């Protein structure tokens, strides 16, 4: 006969930490119980109300099944061995042992610390829902189920991390998602053995076909409405416990130029904004490099009146145009990094000092010219019109600067041709990275850099090759 003390000792021999608590109590007839849980991860009030209180009336000869029938908790499951009990305790559940019983009951009274559902800071929308994902996977899956009330919505949860045992949920709609894609993604994730998975970016690295590539290979979503819309198009969503950023696959670069609220405003306004974002990114990437290239190699491409203004500004500078631009960009990057890492109010003061005092002093001292500051500042603003791609575009801007300062316009053209050829050859789980432009898919062009009206987008993107193609049908009766 297995005693209660033996079960407690078996668990505590592994979970010896002081925050693993054991609550022993008895029924009115002398039946002994023990609830084992991790302090701070459960709701103790629920444990007392739903578990301890009903068990006061248990008879001394009642077995585990009779005990479970009295519990008021809606989430109860059976446990068979000590290893499983340890996993459940670490997962935030309470484990109930009954004296004389080898098996145990797992009580779902999990209540870990979490923040409230709020609008994400990087995907703010004037129109549309305000809810954003948080760090709790159950809340995030609830936000998804709240929007997709369909029996075909499938959620498969796996665990990864030798030390963290992090839950990762693969979300897709059966019949809409490409065949075998969820299984491929699951296999890619489980093929990696790692100690801890603190964020979804780790999973994104596992799923990248070329982990060293400069370009993103997974889509991201911080809002449930965006995530659900992508899943309904035929993508697979990935929700990671502990991360407010969910992943979507397959991924196309055009996604990053589509804003959260493009689908909540008129198609004309959405198209204008998308074209504006494309133009802004191109300006942010190329403007500093073109400025250097024109000064060093092709000064005739600068209009004469503008050339006179620039020449008067750069007269007397000790630095060459390329060194000047590099120095200006370096100062901007340092100020940006410092303002992020410093305390909030100190960072604000630093931004003002850096922008006004440091910049004005550098111009007056003849170290940096006014055009260089204007170009770098405008370039930085342009790149942040597509915030999800800032890491890539900032690195590319440095590359263009190096090439422009050493080779000139010809080098910029060659580098641009190389980038285009590289992107055209890349795929994300069978979907070209630059679709629907290469290969050209005419039907999908209506939701790329151009946003057509809702009735034009009645079919799902052809590039995903979904079985269920139709997503909108108007009843004419």
């Amino acid at each position: 006969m297995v005693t209660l003390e033996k079960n407690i000792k078996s668990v505590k021999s592994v979970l010896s930490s002081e925050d693993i608590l054991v609550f022993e109590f008895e029924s009115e007839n002398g039946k002994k119980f023990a609830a084992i849980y991790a302090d701070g991860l459960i709701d103790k009030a629920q444990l007392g109300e739903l578990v301890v209180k009903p068990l006061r009336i248990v008879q001394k000869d009642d077995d585990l099944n009779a005990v479970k029938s009295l519990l008021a908790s809606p989430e109860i499951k059976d446990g068979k061995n000590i290893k499983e009990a340890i996993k459940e305790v670490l997962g935030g559940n309470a484990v109930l042992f009954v004296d004389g019983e080898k098996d145990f009951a797992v009580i779902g009274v999990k209540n870990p610390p979490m923040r409230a559902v709020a609008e994400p800071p990087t995907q703010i929308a004037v129109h549309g829902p305000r809810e954003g994902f948080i760090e709790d996977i159950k809340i995030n899956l609830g936000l998804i189920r709240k929007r997709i009330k369909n029996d075909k919505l499938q959620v498969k949860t796996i665990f990864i991390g030798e030390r963290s045992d992090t839950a990762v949920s693969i979300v897709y709609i059966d019949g809409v998602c490409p065949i075998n894609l969820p299984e491929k993604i699951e296999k890619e994730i489980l093929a990696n053995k790692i100690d801890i998975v603190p964020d979804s970016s780790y999973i994104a690295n596992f799923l990248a076909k070329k982990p060293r590539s400069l370009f993103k290979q997974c889509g991201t979503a911080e809002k449930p409405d965006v995530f659900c819309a992508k899943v309904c198009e035929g993508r697979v969503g990935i929700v990671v416990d502990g991360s407010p950023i969910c992943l979507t696959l397959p991924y196309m670069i055009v996604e990053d130029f589509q804003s959260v609220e493009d689908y909540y405003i008129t198609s004309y306004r959405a198209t204008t904004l998308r074209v504006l974002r494309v133009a802004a990114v191109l300006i942010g990437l190329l403007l500093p490099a073109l400025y250097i290239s024109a000064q060093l190699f092709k000064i005739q491409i600068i209009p004469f009146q503008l050339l006179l203004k620039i020449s008067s500004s750069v007269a007397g500078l000790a630095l060459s145009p390329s060194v000047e631009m590099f120095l200006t960009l370096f100062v901007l990057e340092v100020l940006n990094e410092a303002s992020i890492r410093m305390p909030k109010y100190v960072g604000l003061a630093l931004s003002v000092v850096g922008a006004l005092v440091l910049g004005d002093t550098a111009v007056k001292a003849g170290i940096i010219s006014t055009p260089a500051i204007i170009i770098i500042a405008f370039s930085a603003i342009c790149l942040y019109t597509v915030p999800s791609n800032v890491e890539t575009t900032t690195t590319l801007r440095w590359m263009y600067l190096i090439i422009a300062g050493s080779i000139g316009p010809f080098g910029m053209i060659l580098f641009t041709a190389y980038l285009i050829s590289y992107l055209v050859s890349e795929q994300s789980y069978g979907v070209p990275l630059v679709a629907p432009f290469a290969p050209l898919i005419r039907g999908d062009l209506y939701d790329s850099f151009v946003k057509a009206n809702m009735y034009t987008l009645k079919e799902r993107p052809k590039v995903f090759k979904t079985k269920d193609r139709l997503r909108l049908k108007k009843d004419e009766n």
Side-chain angles (χ1 to χ4, degrees):
M1 184 176 180
V2 180
T3 63
L4 187 64
E5 289 74 17
K6 185 177 179 180
N7 284 330
I8 295 173
K9 187 177 180 180
S10 299
V11 175
K12 288 298 290 183
S13 65
V14 179
L15 301 178
S16 57
S17 178
E18 292 182 358
D19 64 335
I20 305 298
L21 305 182
V22 179
F23 175 53
E24 297 185 58
F25 60 97
E26 294 183 5
S27 68
E28 294 176 352
N29 291 300
K31 187 75 171 180
K32 294 181 179 180
F33 306 93
I36 304 178
Y37 57 89
D39 192 20
L41 292 183
I42 73 159
D43 189 332
K44 295 179 183 178
Q46 280 194 6
L47 181 65
E49 188 68 25
L50 304 180
V51 178
V52 178
K53 190 175 179 180
L55 295 184
R56 294 296 185 188
I57 62 172
V58 171
Q59 301 298 316
K60 200 163 186 177
D61 57 345
D62 284 345
D63 60 5
L64 181 61
N65 290 327
V67 167
K68 287 193 299 182
S69 66
L70 295 173
L71 298 178
S73 175
E75 189 177 345
I76 304 171
K77 62 181 181 180
D78 294 328
K80 299 295 183 182
N81 53 62
I82 297 299
K83 186 177 180 180
E84 186 179 349
I86 292 168
K87 183 178 180 180
E88 293 294 344
V89 170
L90 294 176
N93 292 317
V95 172
L96 178 68
F97 285 103
V98 181
D99 190 27
E101 298 282 344
K102 180 182 177 182
D103 297 341
F104 55 89
V106 179
I107 316 298
V109 287
K110 186 186 297 185
N111 186 30
M114 68 180 74
R115 63 186 176 94
V117 175
E119 188 172 16
T122 59
Q123 290 188 353
I124 298 173
V126 178
H127 304 275
R130 298 286 191 273
E131 290 178 329
F133 289 123
I134 62 172
E135 288 77 9
D136 185 81
I137 191 170
K138 284 195 173 183
I139 299 294
N140 292 342
L141 291 175
L143 292 172
I144 296 168
R145 282 284 183 188
K146 174 183 173 182
R147 286 165 173 80
I148 305 180
K149 305 178 183 71
N150 188 271
D151 60 341
K152 298 296 183 182
L153 179 66
Q154 303 294 321
V155 178
K156 184 171 184 180
T157 302
I158 58 178
F159 294 88
I160 182 171
E162 300 295 318
R163 306 291 180 185
S164 62
D165 202 32
T166 305
V168 178
S169 291
I170 300 171
V171 183
Y172 62 97
I173 298 179
D174 193 18
V176 174
C177 170
I179 299 174
N180 296 328
L181 181 56
E183 290 76 13
K184 290 179 182 178
I185 291 174
E186 180 185 353
K187 186 178 179 181
E188 290 284 348
I189 296 174
L190 293 177
N192 299 275
K193 305 299 181 183
I194 189 172
D195 274 357
I196 184 172
V197 180
D199 185 69
S200 59
S201 58
Y202 281 58
I203 304 298
N205 288 327
F206 297 156
L207 295 172
K209 295 298 183 182
K210 294 184 177 180
R212 294 181 179 85
S213 175
L214 179 62
F215 296 91
K216 284 173 55 179
Q217 297 179 55
C218 282
T220 56
E222 293 185 65
K223 291 171 66 67
D225 55 313
V226 176
F227 182 90
C228 292
K230 290 185 177 184
V231 168
C232 288
E233 283 183 343
R235 294 180 178 87
V236 173
I238 301 162
V239 185
V240 181
D241 194 19
S243 176
I245 300 176
C246 299
L247 307 176
T248 56
L249 286 167
Y251 163 73
M252 300 180 294
I253 287 180
V254 72
E255 293 178 37
D256 290 332
F257 293 88
Q258 300 169 351
S259 176
V260 175
E261 59 181 352
D262 283 356
Y263 299 91
Y264 306 127
I265 58 179
T266 63
S267 57
Y268 303 104
R269 177 62 176 167
T271 299
T272 303
L273 293 176
R274 288 184 182 182
V275 173
L276 182 66
R277 292 181 203 117
V278 174
V281 169
L282 292 176
I283 291 171
L285 278 177
L286 301 176
L287 184 60
L290 286 172
Y291 177 74
I292 292 177
S293 181
Q295 279 193 292
L296 295 177
F297 298 95
K298 291 287 183 180
I299 200 169
Q300 60 268 30
I301 68 176
I302 303 176
F304 182 71
Q305 294 296 329
L306 180 60
L307 182 61
L308 292 178
K309 294 288 185 182
I310 293 175
S311 61
S312 63
S313 299
V314 301
L317 289 182
L319 302 176
S320 67
S322 56
V323 175
E324 175 200 11
M325 192 63 72
F326 271 105
L327 178 61
T328 309
L329 184 56
F330 177 75
V331 172
L332 174 70
E333 294 288 352
V334 169
L335 287 173
N336 181 48
E337 187 68 14
S339 63
I340 293 173
R341 306 301 168 199
M342 281 189 169
K344 181 178 179 181
Y345 299 106
V346 178
L348 180 62
L350 178 69
S351 300
V352 174
V353 170
L356 299 179
V357 179
L358 187 60
D360 184 59
T361 305
V363 172
K364 288 181 179 178
I367 300 174
I368 299 173
S369 65
T370 305
I373 293 179
I374 295 173
I375 288 172
I376 290 297
F378 185 60
S379 171
I381 294 170
C382 286
L383 292 186
Y384 274 94
T385 57
V386 184
S388 56
N389 240 334
V390 166
E391 294 178 9
T392 300
T393 51
T394 301
T395 306
L396 286 175
R397 180 173 58 180
W398 280 105
M399 292 181 177
Y400 270 110
L401 275 178
I402 294 171
I403 293 171
S406 55
I407 305 175
F410 183 66
M412 292 178 61
I413 293 172
L414 286 179
F415 184 60
T416 303
Y418 167 75
L419 287 179
I420 293 174
S421 63
Y422 175 81
L423 290 173
V424 167
S425 64
E426 286 299 293
Q427 290 189 347
S428 173
Y429 289 87
V431 174
L433 213 58
V434 289
F437 302 102
L440 185 64
I441 305 173
R442 297 185 183 277
D444 293 353
L445 291 174
Y446 295 111
D447 192 18
S448 54
F449 294 145
V450 175
K451 167 67 172 60
N453 63 64
M454 188 179 296
Y455 289 107
T456 306
L457 303 174
K458 60 184 179 180
E459 292 185 351
R460 292 185 175 85
K462 296 179 181 178
V463 71
F464 295 139
K465 300 176 182 178
T466 59
K467 287 184 179 180
D468 186 0
R469 292 287 311 281
L470 199 64
R471 61 178 172 186
L472 173 64
K473 182 173 66 174
K474 185 177 181 181
D475 192 355
E476 300 294 339
N477 295 328

